[in-house]
Amino acid sequence: MDIMDEKKMVTLSVEDGPWTGCAVLFLRSCPAVNLLSLYKDQQGKFSVFKVLKLTLTDSAGGLEGYEILKLHDADPLLGVEVKFVDVAACRRFLQSYGSGAVQQSLSQHACRLLHGTQELALETQLKAGTHTLDFCLDDLELCLQHIHQSQPGRLRDDEIAELDQQLQSQALGHIPQPPTLSQEEPPVPSNCFLFQKRVFAPPTLSPDLSEDRILAAGDLQRFSNGVGRDWRKVGRALGKNCRALKGPAIDNLAYEYEREGLYEQAYQLLNRFIQAEGRAARLGRLVRALEDSKLTSLAENILDIQPRE
């Protein structure tokens, strides 16, 4: 069998069917900021885990496709054992690692999240089983094959599961209590909606808002500009009747767009709602979600009406 045939077999093995593999990223930081010592310290453990999680999210292209199984004390190194369950995510990680983006992301997140850290000097090594992948990063398919052959021999460590849950809870923020059930409202015509117990219908609304229309670009901009930190509350309210915003979707948005700020997180939330619901992404549904979240002033702003005295 020649080299080209071997390459074809490697490519087929990583692209076909269910794919899993395991790699360990070893980190050694300068004496001023010792990641291993910080992780051993109960106060610093969560911050170090958050730095690692955000770095992997950056390099793998999102929250899906991988999970941290365990952090190893390989003094003076900190070992991060990662299970990959998606070959595309693994390939993106390898490309980021080879370009130096993983190290850069680690340094940036550490400077932001680890108190007193101005600059982080790092030495890294990536291994899959007995293979040191730093020596073959120019051959991504071979690296993928080594990772695929190194199957994880453990379940996720309980401590890692607890840290991950803590991070998810932090991103999710305060979970409001479900609204108290009120007496049944009278039926509302299909081209109208209720807001503050009032039926909005022609000619109550201004001409461009004369009916319960599909959300437009202007609504998206006003929402993103005005909702601030409450975007997650609105997302949970919208998620009651939108499958795309259920489960970890809002948490994922918080992770994915954390660096871009609140405006972008809010924009991506409502944009996902619009893309998922299509013509069912109506103004009335957003207004009801804002009212449920006690953001009536923002609803009035989006409706372009003056608040009642």
Side-chain angles (χ1 to χ4, degrees):
M1 183 182 295
D2 61 23
I3 294 176
M4 290 300 294
D5 289 335
E6 290 180 1
K7 283 277 191 179
K8 288 178 182 177
M9 287 186 66
V10 168
T11 303
L12 287 172
S13 68
V14 298
E15 296 289 357
D16 289 355
W19 194 92
T20 59
C22 192
V24 182
L25 175 63
F26 289 98
L27 305 172
R28 181 174 183 173
S29 53
C30 66
V33 183
N34 189 309
L35 289 177
L36 177 60
S37 296
L38 278 174
Y39 184 74
K40 288 179 178 180
D41 180 70
Q42 200 60 36
Q43 299 298 320
K45 188 182 295 289
F46 175 71
S47 295
V48 171
F49 177 78
K50 186 173 182 180
V51 167
L52 297 172
K53 183 79 173 185
L54 290 172
T55 298
L56 283 166
T57 299
D58 290 342
S59 58
L63 287 167
E64 305 298 328
Y66 76 91
E67 66 173 343
I68 299 175
L69 293 181
K70 185 176 176 63
L71 296 188
H72 295 273
D73 179 356
D75 195 11
L77 306 176
L78 175 64
V80 186
E81 186 175 352
V82 183
K83 174 185 176 182
F84 291 97
V85 294
D86 178 75
V87 67
C90 188
R91 180 179 282 111
R92 284 192 293 268
F93 171 78
L94 287 170
Q95 290 169 335
S96 297
Y97 183 79
S99 69
V102 170
Q103 292 89 332
Q104 183 180 8
S105 183
L106 269 168
S107 181
Q108 289 174 346
H109 289 305
C111 291
R112 185 168 57 86
L113 296 172
L114 304 179
H115 298 301
T117 304
Q118 300 298 322
E119 186 175 356
L120 186 67
L122 276 173
E123 296 177 15
T124 63
Q125 186 181 68
L126 186 63
K127 299 193 72 173
T130 60
H131 300 282
T132 301
L133 302 183
D134 301 73
F135 300 145
C136 55
L137 287 171
D138 57 342
D139 191 340
L140 287 183
E141 300 306 323
L142 181 58
C143 290
L144 287 168
Q145 179 72 356
H146 289 325
I147 292 174
H148 183 46
Q149 289 174 343
S150 176
Q151 290 297 310
R154 70 176 78 245
L155 297 175
R156 185 164 63 159
D157 189 77
D158 288 343
E159 183 177 64
I160 297 299
E162 291 174 6
L163 289 169
D164 205 20
Q165 183 61 47
Q166 185 180 346
L167 187 55
Q168 290 182 36
S169 298
Q170 184 186 80
L172 198 60
H174 172 67
I175 300 175
Q177 296 298 316
T180 304
L181 293 176
S182 59
Q183 63 182 15
E184 187 175 349
E185 299 287 352
V188 179
S190 60
N191 68 330
C192 309
F193 59 88
L194 283 172
F195 175 54
Q196 294 182 320
K197 298 183 180 180
R198 290 179 286 171
V199 176
F200 281 75
T204 307
L205 298 176
S206 56
D208 60 324
L209 295 172
S210 61
E211 60 180 12
D212 187 10
R213 55 173 174 75
I214 299 171
L215 288 168
D219 306 318
L220 191 58
Q221 187 173 16
R222 287 185 178 183
F223 172 78
S224 304
N225 275 321
V227 71
R229 295 183 181 277
D230 291 318
W231 69 270
R232 283 182 287 241
K233 288 200 297 186
V234 180
R236 287 190 288 270
L238 289 170
K240 293 174 184 176
N241 297 299
C242 176
R243 186 169 298 177
L245 298 180
K246 290 186 182 295
I250 296 172
D251 191 16
N252 291 353
L253 285 171
Y255 281 132
E256 194 169 350
Y257 296 98
E258 181 186 34
R259 290 185 300 170
E260 283 78 2
L262 294 173
Y263 176 92
E264 188 64 23
Q265 289 172 325
Y267 184 95
Q268 293 298 333
L269 169 80
L270 194 55
N271 189 49
R272 182 165 298 185
F273 173 72
I274 292 170
Q275 290 180 343
E277 297 295 298
R279 297 186 64 82
R282 316 294 292 188
L283 176 65
R285 292 177 68 182
L286 175 59
V287 168
R288 283 192 293 274
L290 290 170
E291 196 169 18
D292 288 346
S293 305
K294 303 189 185 307
L295 298 172
T296 53
S297 60
L298 179 55
E300 288 167 342
N301 178 265
I302 292 174
L303 290 170
D304 199 22
I305 61 174
Q306 294 299 317
R308 293 188 297 178
E309 296 295 334

